[in-house]
Amino acid sequence: IGQNPIMRQRSEKVAELVEPLLDGTTRGNERLRTLLRFCEPHHSRRMFDLFLRGVREGWLDDARDHWWHHLHDFPDKAPLPAVELLKVFLERQFMRMPAGDPFPQRASELHFPADYCIRLAGAAADSFLTKILPLVAAEVAKRPAGKSKTRDALWAYTSLGRMHDFGESLLEGLSQAAHNLARDQPARFSAVAALVLTTVSRSLGFILLRGWLGNPVALANDCARYIAQDSSRLRVGYDLTSGLG
């Protein structure tokens, strides 16, 4: 019943049958992992909620098998559910590692493709930025990098060029989403940016400035006010380059 043709047509019914068997035990966790190993989880709300529950409750913390297979095209096929999954994954990861670098291996247990967040920035910029930026901002404020007042453990350094891992993809994806949303819906971008303006953070400044650069005619005054409030906000940019020849 975990084959794609069945899940596309009867996903709701399969979820109804399987849900009572998912009890948080090792055997129950293996049932969910086996069911979803080769199929896409988003063809019904009920099945997708089971998948999110598995991530949220840690049933998939050590999953390794074949997740890349159905996450690879997820941002293109179902961008809004893809944002939901990313949010739940990040919440779980931040809870598991409440201090320091939340991505110590600079990779994820679910094996998100390196460009997962970049494609979300193009397909669902509003949802991506609205749901993920405030979550990330809260963690940035709690995770200073050493004694620095502006750097954080999520992104102690920023790299221009090749993205090496999920962490770098997340930062670049948020930056591109900010740029796209500001370009297309400046008032909407301003509303999202207002949620994180008070945090003094090099990483958040990097994301916001990329947004304001997306629509300088409409948003130049907002950018100027932001920079004028704290001189450290002028110290933003890339720390190193990679893969540029």
Side-chain angles (χ1 to χ4, degrees), residues 63-76:
R64 292 292 188 277
D65 297 337
H66 309 296
W67 292 110
W68 186 91
H69 173 76
H70 59 66
L71 291 178
H72 176 65
D73 295 326
F74 202 25
D76 306 314

Side-chain angles (χ1 to χ4, degrees), residues 126-154:
D126 190 345
S127 179
F128 181 25
L129 202 67
T130 301
K131 293 182 183 299
I132 305 301
L133 184 59
L135 174 63
V136 164
E139 294 300 319
V140 161
K142 294 188 290 187
R143 299 171 188 258
K147 297 181 180 180
S148 173
K149 294 182 179 180
T150 61
R151 291 182 184 264
D152 59 86
L154 275 74

Side-chain angles (χ1 to χ4, degrees), residues 26 43 83 91 95 110 121 124 163 167 209 217 236 245:
T26 300
H43 293 294
V83 172
E91 289 171 340
M95 185 186 72
L110 286 178
M163 290 175 296
L209 287 168
V217 173
V236 65

Side-chain angles (χ1 to χ4, degrees), residues 12-239:
E12 183 80 18
K13 184 62 177 179
V14 173
E16 179 186 339
L17 293 172
V18 171
E19 188 170 9
L21 304 176
L22 303 179
D23 53 6
T25 64
T26 300
R27 187 170 184 179
N29 297 353
E30 188 58 35
R31 288 189 182 107
L32 181 64
R33 289 166 59 167
T34 300
L35 176 68
L36 296 175
R37 186 163 289 158
F38 291 108
C39 70
E40 297 165 334
H42 65 278
H43 293 294
S44 73
R45 185 69 238 184
R46 189 167 185 174
M47 179 60 72
F48 189 59
D49 284 342
L50 284 184
F51 182 38
L52 295 183
R53 179 184 169 196
V55 177
R56 187 179 291 113
E57 297 191 15
W59 299 348
L60 305 176
D61 280 351
D62 61 347
R64 292 292 188 277
D65 297 337
H66 309 296
W67 292 110
W68 186 91
H69 173 76
H70 59 66
L71 291 178
H72 176 65
D73 295 326
F74 202 25
D76 306 314
K77 292 180 177 179
L80 296 182
V83 172
E84 282 190 77
L85 171 61
L86 178 62
K87 182 174 184 289
V88 170
F89 166 74
L90 289 174
E91 289 171 340
R92 175 66 185 170
Q93 195 73 1
F94 293 151
M95 185 186 72
R96 293 175 67 200
M97 299 183 179
D101 184 355
F103 310 112
Q105 306 301 320
R106 305 308 292 176
S108 75
E109 280 71 10
L110 286 178
H111 288 187
F112 284 94
D115 64 347
Y116 186 94
C117 298
I118 306 302
R119 284 184 287 151
L120 280 183
D126 190 345
S127 179
F128 181 25
L129 202 67
T130 301
K131 293 182 183 299
I132 305 301
L133 184 59
L135 174 63
V136 164
E139 294 300 319
V140 161
K142 294 188 290 187
R143 299 171 188 258
K147 297 181 180 180
S148 173
K149 294 182 179 180
T150 61
R151 291 182 184 264
D152 59 86
L154 275 74
W155 301 292
Y157 299 95
T158 51
S159 173
L160 172 64
R162 181 183 304 157
M163 290 175 296
H164 297 90
D165 50 51
F166 172 77
E168 291 183 7
S169 172
L170 178 59
L171 177 62
E172 182 61 25
L174 286 168
S175 301
Q176 289 190 21
H179 182 279
N180 294 343
L181 187 59
R183 179 194 63 207
D184 299 333
Q185 301 180 63
R188 180 65 177 157
F189 171 76
S190 294
V192 178
L195 301 175
V196 302
L197 286 176
T198 58
T199 303
V200 178
S201 161
R202 193 172 186 273
S203 298
L204 295 181
F206 182 87
I207 295 167
L208 292 173
L209 287 168
R210 286 281 295 276
W212 287 316
L213 284 170
N215 199 332
V217 173
L219 300 172
N221 289 339
D222 292 349
C223 181
R225 280 192 294 269
Y226 176 79
I227 293 173
Q229 288 172 359
D230 193 306
S231 61
S232 68
R233 290 170 172 170
L234 291 169
R235 296 190 290 273
V236 65
Y238 295 101
D239 296 295

